[in-house]
Amino acid sequence: MPPKNPRLAVDEKGSRSRSRSRSRSPGRKAKKVVVEAPPAASKVSALPPSLKQDVSTKKYQVKDNDILMLPSSDFQLLALLTVVAIGIRLFRIYQPTSVVFDEVHFGGFATKYIKGKFFMDVHPPLAKMLITLAGWLAGFDGSFDFKEIGKDYLGPGVPYVAMRMLPAVLGIMVVPIMFLTLKAAGCSTASAFLGAGFIIFENGLLTQSRLILLDSPLVSFTAATALAWTSFLNIHEQGISRAFSPNWWFWLTMTGLGLGATVSVKWVGLFTIAWVGSLTILQLWLLLGDTKNITPRLWFKHFFARVFCLIIVPVVFYMSMFVIHFMLLRNPGEGDGFMSSEFQATLNSKGMHSVPADVAFGSRVSIRHHNTQGGYLHSHNHMYPTGSKQQQITLYPHKDENNIWTVENQTNPVGGEGISGFDAISPPVWVEDGALIRLYHAPTDRRLHSHDVRPPVTEAEWQNEVSAYGYKGFEGDANDVFRVEIIKHLSEGSEAKRRLRTIQTKFKLVHTMTGCVLFSHKVKLPDWGYEQQEVTCAKGATLPNSVWYVEQNEHPQLGEDAERVNYRNPGFFGKFWELNKVMWRTNAGLVESHAWDSRPSSWPILKRGINFWGKEHRQVYLIGNPVIWWSSTAAIVIYAMFKAFAVLRWQRGYNDYSVNNFRRFDFEIGVAVLGWAFHYFPFYLMQRQLFLHHYFPALYFAIIALCQVFDFITARIATLKLREKPIAGWTLAVVFLAFSIAAFGLYAPLAYGNTWTKGECRRVKLFDSWDWDCNTFHNTYEEYNVIMSPNESAIKSSNPPLQASSSSSAPEEAVTNKPAEEPVVVKKDPIQAADAGEVVSSEERIEYRDQDGNLLDEEQVRALEGKVEFHTRYETRIRLLDEFGNEISEESAVPVADQGVAGPLVDGSNPETVLKGAEKDAQDEVRPRGVDVDTESREVVSESAASPASEGVNTETT
């Protein structure tokens, strides 16, 4: 119904007061519309009621679109559509038989869940846990690591099909959900049939639902939420008498559960919450204005019912997923470095016993960095290769005996007893704010040291090198002295603000000779520093990176009766809040460019897709069905044009909103377009990596809008004269769907990873921005029937395609398949060999491929010379040819051994070449530095992770 406004106030005759006060345009005929006012219940609807106008009586009747009351023919059609969806989604779900794109991450998460190793991911845990459950039920033990695209599943016996079945089943469920949603919105069966068919034959949704990915669960839960909300609106439109009925409560609660499930898969679910929330606010606003039927008490009842079902239920559901998440991930893992020390202490083997609270001179302490994932101040018996060439000081993420330092006064105790003299001082002398100290590294007999020398990596004028300097018996020098400055606002308790206390006191260490401050940041040292984190002494250092605290503390004078402290247990709520903050910061920080990313402006027009996988002359490339994609975008544009036209006419005083179909078209399709807008436009505000699959939830709402436009054209607008001919609507629906199926078939090989030919590929490649590589495929289908030898199959590279660096338009590296030695040729008598079907010769050739595995021609190679670095990868491929150059099958070829020739064709290649090639593939994976194979860096490995460099590392380090 139109908003409450004097311009839209309808009198009993249906004319508006504003129109009466305005003179009529000369070319505009007077038109009197006599329509009875709709029931009072419709005035309180947040959306226009699904009204059915009786033409004979000119009265409005409320239509109940309860999906549980559909005729049996609709359920039979729904069952048929679901069966078709099962066939389409599960067809050859076993291929590819190797890791595809982001299966690297989400399969890897299943491994970590089963092993209980904590990881940090930017997405909530629901879908990942469901995939893990599917794999675990199928017998997956977590022994496969999913580390690389193209890594084989069959050899290790990974139940990857069962893990892919979870997204596939959820993808299948979207089909009946779409059908029922359109029926709940009041659409005809033909329109609902069309919408379900669009979901079945949408290539992009198909591709995502056949792999171990999160987008199929996301779309499925988004669709379920839309169904529940539409069904709730249908009951709400029946009037206030239906409020608080069992069905009313059921659909409202299911909407809340759907919201919780959606946001528990990806934070894109927040957009679904915004969609439902905005419509809920509109409902409550209109209810508030119905003073005739809604009392304040009843209005608050509506308000609190929605608060409970649409806020409390989703929040509880979301938090419960993290309860399970924390229960499963009890052990330290690659992601715990992103969490606070308090969080890490809750993991097995990361916790510690309570330690003495006060730090005294002579205490053996470990000192942690407060900001960058809490690494330990560390040294080991390795020297800097440049600068002072003194012993390295680093930040190391694991507990280790080389993290232990003894706190000394600036002078040794009286009596010449050296470092051990502090142990005998009784009572011990506390280290207070402003104290001058030295830190003695007992494992190497050197002290923490700084001087006016540039660091080996960060060669900035405002940073000095920090090293370990001295030898056993050396009393040290002035460059070993640091001043303790307690940071009072970060320290806990009055005592911790006055003197050094374990865990509770946060402090800076100021070098007395140069005034610089002990500092660390996320810069990693090269291989000579074992990729551990750099420690420097910075002048004017920022506070977060120059803050430290003591974790371990031991002193002979501090016995069992000494006051002890430990990390505060954050509890579930503390861990939940901290993890979500880290997820948010990490998600926002994914701003680096990616080889296959795209921006939101390109999504509605399907400008480009994503290369998922390429191997054995096949390819999986995510691309949508252009017929469905562009038609749904056209529906959005049609509604936008209609809305602009309607507002313009409303401003000019026309009475269009008194027409039932006009009003319904505006509001019913407007709801779907609003859902599309909430799931699309927020991406323009994001600077992070974005990909085509981020558009899928918006695409779902666009398809709903398309089907509703179709429904109005074929079943509602009387002037088109199709409403009285249902067969016309069905015919148009079947024809429309047939075009979609034809387009689906053209691009299906990219979704399934099927065989294809270069010619067919090029014929359907409409735009250059559709950047899959047609050269990947064979020229004819017969070439796919050539059987490779077992050795060749074993040697074929399974490395993922390389990705281009964002800093250059040209690929950062290219790969060439180059032979290891001169071509080996085995010759026989040509005529005899041809008659016998024997192999006449073998040859080797060089192929140049880019970072995505695409074959480069000579012109492209010449263009890249001098711009990229070429790496060699040995790979053996077999083509069996007779004397006339014709390919022959392996079965018809006589083995070389039987020909009496001890040559390379016994195993398909020269044995030395095979050995070198296999070693090369196993050891020298080629990948540009700084470029990962993931799309969103969903699994985040701690930046503090480093290689061990100490002899005294514990089992955790190794």
Side-chain angles (χ1 to χ4, degrees), residues 396-407:
Y396 188 60
H398 306 293
K399 293 183 178 180
D400 187 285
E401 69 177 25
N402 280 326
N403 301 336
I404 304 301
W405 303 82
T406 302
V407 181

Side-chain angles (χ1 to χ4, degrees), residues 670-695:
V671 170
V673 173
L674 183 66
W676 171 86
F678 270 119
H679 289 81
Y680 175 63
F681 287 114
F683 286 107
Y684 280 93
L685 304 176
M686 301 181 188
Q687 301 301 316
R688 54 152 293 169
Q689 294 172 353
L690 295 173
F691 301 87
L692 181 66
H693 60 73
H694 286 115
Y695 185 70

Side-chain angles (χ1 to χ4, degrees), residues 809-828:
S809 59
E812 189 168 315
E813 297 188 38
V815 179
T816 171
N817 293 337
K818 184 178 180 181
E821 50 190 55
E822 292 298 320
V824 180
V825 180
V826 179
K827 297 184 177 180
K828 286 186 66 70

Side-chain angles (χ1 to χ4, degrees), residues 303-455:
F303 174 79
F304 286 115
R306 286 162 173 79
V307 168
F308 175 78
C309 293
L310 302 181
I311 297 179
I312 296 177
V313 169
V315 168
V316 171
F317 186 96
Y318 179 77
M319 296 179 71
S320 65
M321 295 302 102
F322 282 89
V323 172
I324 302 173
H325 180 74
F326 292 143
M327 290 174 60
L328 294 175
L329 302 181
R330 294 179 175 274
N331 300 318
E334 293 176 336
D336 58 33
F338 280 85
M339 313 311 296
S340 68
S341 301
E342 290 82 1
F343 190 107
Q344 294 181 39
T346 64
L347 302 174
N348 292 338
S349 79
K350 282 282 188 174
M352 68 177 193
H353 298 292
S354 296
V355 295
D358 291 302
V359 179
F361 288 106
S363 290
R364 283 72 165 171
V365 299
S366 64
I367 301 175
R368 296 193 73 168
H369 198 232
H370 183 59
N371 191 35
T372 55
Q373 289 81 51
Y376 294 91
L377 186 65
H378 178 93
S379 187
H380 42 240
N381 196 17
H382 298 273
M383 307 302 166
Y384 289 122
T386 60
S388 68
K389 297 187 179 181
Q390 295 174 4
Q391 185 169 295
Q392 298 173 14
I393 296 291
T394 66
L395 208 66
Y396 188 60
H398 306 293
K399 293 183 178 180
D400 187 285
E401 69 177 25
N402 280 326
N403 301 336
I404 304 301
W405 303 82
T406 302
V407 181
E408 294 183 284
N409 202 337
Q410 60 179 331
T411 58
N412 285 334
V414 178
E417 297 177 357
I419 189 70
S420 61
F422 290 104
D423 297 345
I425 299 176
S426 183
V429 179
W430 310 129
V431 180
E432 297 184 345
D433 187 21
L436 300 180
I437 67 170
R438 297 184 299 178
L439 294 175
Y440 179 80
H441 191 247
T444 59
D445 293 305
R446 293 181 171 94
R447 290 178 175 86
L448 188 71
H449 185 91
S450 185
H451 40 219
D452 192 13
V453 176
R454 299 288 76 77

Side-chain angles (χ1 to χ4, degrees), residues 583-645:
M583 290 165 58
W584 183 272
R585 288 197 302 267
T586 306
N587 199 3
L590 300 177
V591 295
E592 294 183 2
S593 180
H594 188 277
W596 299 103
D597 62 9
S598 56
R599 299 311 299 172
S601 58
S602 69
W603 300 341
I605 59 176
L606 197 61
K607 186 175 181 180
R608 77 175 305 209
I610 310 173
N611 185 29
F612 272 12
W613 177 88
K615 195 176 181 182
E616 298 172 352
H617 297 282
R618 304 167 193 249
Q619 191 169 3
V620 176
Y621 184 94
L622 179 70
I623 193 72
N625 186 320
V627 173
I628 299 172
W629 213 280
W630 295 335
S631 298
S632 63
T633 301
I636 301 296
V637 174
I638 289 172
Y639 175 79
M641 295 172 62
F642 163 83
K643 187 66 177 177
F645 180 72

